[in-house]
Amino acid sequence: MMVEQEKQSISVKLNGKEHSFHQIEKSSENKAVPEVEVPSKPQSHIAPLEQTIPPTPKKEWGANNDEEKKQDIAVEASEKIDETQSYFTNNIIDFNQMREEKETKEQPFWDDGNRKWIPKLPPSKRKKKTAERIKNTLADLPISLIVAGISAIIVGVGFGFMVLTAFTGDNDGTTASLMPPTGEVEAIAANGQAAGVEVTLPDLSVEIVQGGAFSTSEKGNEIVSAIKDRGQAAVLKTDGDPMYMFIGLGLQKEEAGRLTQIYQQHGQDTYVKPFAVNGSLQSIDNEAVAEFFTQGGSMFNDLVRFSVAGLSGQSVAMENIDQFLGQYQKWNDQGATVIAQLPESAQPHAQQFITSMSGAAAEIAGYKGEQTDGKLWGIQQHLLEALLAYDALIHTLN
């Protein structure tokens, strides 16, 4: 007599689709087992199994019982599914969800707002608050190191201010004047005398604007003429190899830089470099000669400052021109006497210096009546010639 068992089923979700499998019935005589039934619609709830399926006895397979072999394999698969049924509360295995959770946990952490899997540091390794950390760091520093740091900051700021002042150039910051500060000429003239040493000639130190270098004077003079023809200044220094072309000068690098901006508008290549005529290295036994060239150097500096300010669009003190011209006239009247006291080889260079200064004075007198850039470039031209003449004079005296 056969005892009919209650049919059981389990549902499995594969690739997003739910499949149900019914428990396969099996008689004690190993009759034919029905095939697995796959319903057309998914089941919403599967009741748990209340009794176990008795083990299937082993049997000998014959040549003609392939159908029974397939049925037994299906029974074993159903039994394995029944064993995993107790691990899931809803009797449904969602493999897609399990795979997604596994991949999420295996991914590296980055701060994208999802802090579920953020790595944690032990409390002893975590950083303290910034204010507390800085306070503790400063407390550990020695007082001498803190004082040294503050002193370095003060010295650095002071030095930076000095450099800024040195490179800005103008005394009052806005207006260029032809007259030097009170006592400048006297201080230069007394250089070396107060210490009881030999009297020397003054130095002329400028920032020169170089416009080129040439191996032959023919090519250099050709470029010089072209620059002068368009109303600007240029000279060729021919006592060296290569020969340098100077096209402007300023007392400070910042002043020379203003001239380079003007030349660059005409496509002219420029290079600013310091240029000094060290007259102080040449001692002289005639105080009148030393004072004459000291006054000439002071007027030279005034004219440089005035011409650069006018060309760069800054204001210039027109009221001092007459006073400057009066001072120049007194200086020029002494020229013949001073030249006579120099060695014969140096006299042509001294005369050229005086002549060039006279040309610059004539340009400044013309600028008072006709305030044009042509007059200011004329001052620059004569100052460049005076600089080369004074350089030749010092070399001759040496």
Side-chain angles (χ1 to χ4, degrees):
M1 181 178 180
M2 296 178 57
V3 179
E4 185 177 356
Q5 297 181 354
E6 183 181 356
K7 293 183 179 180
Q8 302 292 335
S9 65
I10 188 167
S11 180
V12 179
K13 180 182 276 190
L14 296 176
N15 297 328
K17 296 181 179 181
E18 188 174 344
H19 303 276
S20 297
F21 296 89
H22 291 281
Q23 181 178 343
I24 301 174
E25 296 180 355
K26 186 176 180 181
S27 62
S28 58
E29 290 84 10
N30 295 327
K31 299 295 184 178
V33 180
E35 293 183 356
V36 177
E37 178 184 354
V38 180
S40 58
K41 296 182 180 180
Q43 299 181 6
S44 60
H45 177 72
I46 304 299
L49 295 177
E50 296 181 357
Q51 55 183 339
T52 60
I53 300 175
T56 303
K58 297 182 180 179
K59 11 181 340 181
E60 298 294 332
W61 300 101
N64 298 322
N65 57 359
D66 290 341
E67 187 66 25
E68 293 182 2
K69 182 177 180 179
K70 293 180 180 179
Q71 294 175 357
D72 288 344
I73 292 174
V75 171
E76 292 178 0
S78 177
E79 292 175 354
K80 291 181 180 180
I81 293 174
D82 292 339
E83 292 176 359
T84 60
Q85 187 178 18
S86 60
Y87 293 96
F88 302 90
T89 58
N90 57 0
N91 296 326
I92 298 177
I93 303 175
D94 192 342
F95 292 104
N96 289 334
Q97 181 179 358
M98 294 175 63
R99 185 179 68 253
E100 291 176 358
E101 292 179 357
K102 182 178 180 181
E103 292 178 353
T104 301
K105 294 180 180 180
E106 290 178 351
Q107 290 178 354
F109 168 76
W110 60 85
D111 192 4
D112 58 353
N114 183 14
R115 300 176 178 270
K116 182 178 180 181
W117 306 107
I118 180 173
K120 302 293 184 179
L121 291 174
S124 60
K125 300 292 185 179
R126 296 175 187 171
K127 293 183 178 180
K128 299 179 181 179
K129 293 183 179 180
T130 304
E132 181 181 356
R133 186 169 66 254
I134 295 176
K135 181 179 179 181
N136 295 336
T137 303
L138 294 177
D140 294 338
L141 293 176
I143 300 298
S144 58
L145 183 60
I146 297 177
V147 173
I150 296 175
S151 301
I153 294 174
I154 295 175
V155 173
V157 172
F159 180 76
F161 181 77
M162 291 174 59
V163 172
L164 179 63
T165 303
F167 280 93
T168 52
D170 296 337
N171 291 331
D172 57 2
T174 56
T175 304
S177 175
L178 280 171
M179 301 307 296
T182 304
E184 178 179 316
V185 175
E186 290 78 3
I188 297 175
N191 182 27
Q193 298 181 22
V197 297
E198 294 180 306
V199 179
T200 61
L201 295 176
D203 294 336
L204 285 185
S205 180
V206 298
E207 292 289 335
I208 205 76
V209 180
Q210 180 177 307
F214 306 92
S215 58
T216 62
S217 59
E218 291 78 8
K219 183 62 177 177
N221 288 324
E222 179 182 348
I223 303 299
V224 167
S225 299
I227 294 176
K228 292 171 66 175
D229 288 343
R230 69 181 183 217
Q232 295 174 325
V235 294
L236 187 66
K237 193 174 186 297
T238 59
D239 59 349
D241 187 17
M243 302 176 186
Y244 295 109
M245 181 178 67
F246 298 155
I247 57 177
L249 74 167
L251 296 183
Q252 304 292 339
K253 190 172 184 179
E254 187 268 341
E255 293 180 352
R258 299 175 193 171
L259 298 179
T260 61
Q261 294 177 0
I262 299 175
Y263 276 112
Q264 288 173 358
Q265 294 176 0
H266 296 273
Q268 175 67 48
D269 294 332
T270 58
Y271 173 69
V272 177
K273 67 179 182 181
F275 185 88
V277 181
N278 297 318
S280 59
L281 300 179
Q282 177 60 43
S283 61
I284 190 171
D285 57 359
N286 194 317
E287 294 184 7
V289 173
E291 184 177 355
F292 176 82
F293 284 103
T294 298
Q295 293 177 355
S298 178
M299 290 188 295
F300 178 92
N301 292 339
D302 293 338
L303 290 169
V304 170
R305 189 181 298 112
F306 185 90
S307 61
V308 172
L311 289 171
S312 59
Q314 291 183 321
S315 60
V316 292
M318 301 294 296
E319 63 274 9
N320 293 332
I321 292 181
D322 290 336
Q323 185 179 356
F324 173 83
L325 291 175
Q327 179 182 342
Y328 158 75
Q329 191 60 48
K330 293 180 180 179
W331 174 82
N332 188 58
D333 292 341
Q334 304 173 14
T337 303
V338 170
I339 291 176
Q341 300 179 41
L342 291 172
E344 185 177 354
S345 60
Q347 291 180 5
H349 304 301
Q351 182 60 58
Q352 180 61 47
F353 177 77
I354 296 172
T355 302
S356 297
M357 291 295 294
S358 299
E363 294 288 354
I364 197 68
Y367 185 78
K368 182 180 179 181
E370 185 183 359
Q371 299 176 11
T372 61
D373 288 349
K375 299 295 184 182
L376 298 174
W377 281 117
I379 297 174
Q380 284 274 313
Q381 178 67 40
H382 291 297
L383 292 178
L384 288 171
E385 295 172 355
L387 180 66
L388 296 186
Y390 189 69
D391 182 58
L393 171 64
I394 297 302
H395 279 84
T396 301
L397 293 176
N398 288 335

